[in-house]
């Protein structure tokens, strides 16, 4: 398991969060950090066709990434949360299967 974890996560640490599907999540976390921070939901003048930012999309990931980005930086915080979620996934499966 550790070998597979290293094989999957080492290329991830060399990649940028500003490409492919991660760019939208990174932009959301950056907007929460720079414009909305104490709140998780608020007005975004840059898009969303008049709907508030994170109104209809769960804001937990972008809020946690924004919160951790103050001491760590956005890219490291983003990758840390994704890595932690990958590591905790088997434990979550076990916990919910047992309950």
């Amino acid at each position: 398991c550790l070998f597979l974890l290293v094989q999957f996560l080492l290329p991830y640490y060399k990649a940028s969060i500003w490409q492919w599907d991660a760019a939208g999540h990174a932009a959301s976390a950056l907007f929460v950090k720079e414009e909305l921070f104490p709140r998780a939901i608020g007005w975004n003048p840059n898009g969303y066709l008049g709907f508030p930012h994170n109104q209809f999309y769960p804001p937990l990931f972008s809020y946690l990434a924004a919160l951790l980005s103050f001491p760590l930086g956005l890219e490291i915080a983003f990758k840390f949360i994704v890595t932690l979620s990958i590591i905790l996934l088997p434990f979550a499966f076990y916990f919910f299967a047992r309950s």
Side-chain angles (χ1 to χ4, degrees):
C1 286
L2 290 174
F3 175 74
L4 288 175
L5 187 66
V6 168
Q7 287 293 96
F8 288 135
L9 292 179
L10 277 181
Y12 180 66
Y13 280 108
K14 295 177 184 176
S16 173
I17 63 171
W18 296 104
Q19 56 186 330
W20 303 102
D21 291 339
H25 296 288
S28 177
L30 184 64
F31 185 77
V32 169
K33 177 186 177 184
E34 291 180 350
E35 303 291 333
L36 299 177
F37 179 63
R39 302 175 321 239
I41 297 171
W43 178 252
N44 185 351
N46 301 324
Y48 299 110
L49 298 172
F51 293 104
H53 188 80
N54 287 332
Q55 176 80 31
F56 302 110
Y57 194 81
L60 181 63
F61 179 80
S62 59
Y63 193 78
L64 284 177
L67 183 67
L68 287 175
S69 69
F70 286 109
L72 299 177
L74 183 64
E75 190 157 344
I76 294 172
F78 190 95
K79 290 180 179 184
F80 175 73
I81 293 171
V82 171
T83 302
L84 190 64
S85 66
I86 291 171
I87 291 171
L88 292 178
L89 186 64
F91 297 107
F93 280 152
Y94 176 76
F95 175 76
F96 288 115
R98 296 284 297 174
S99 62

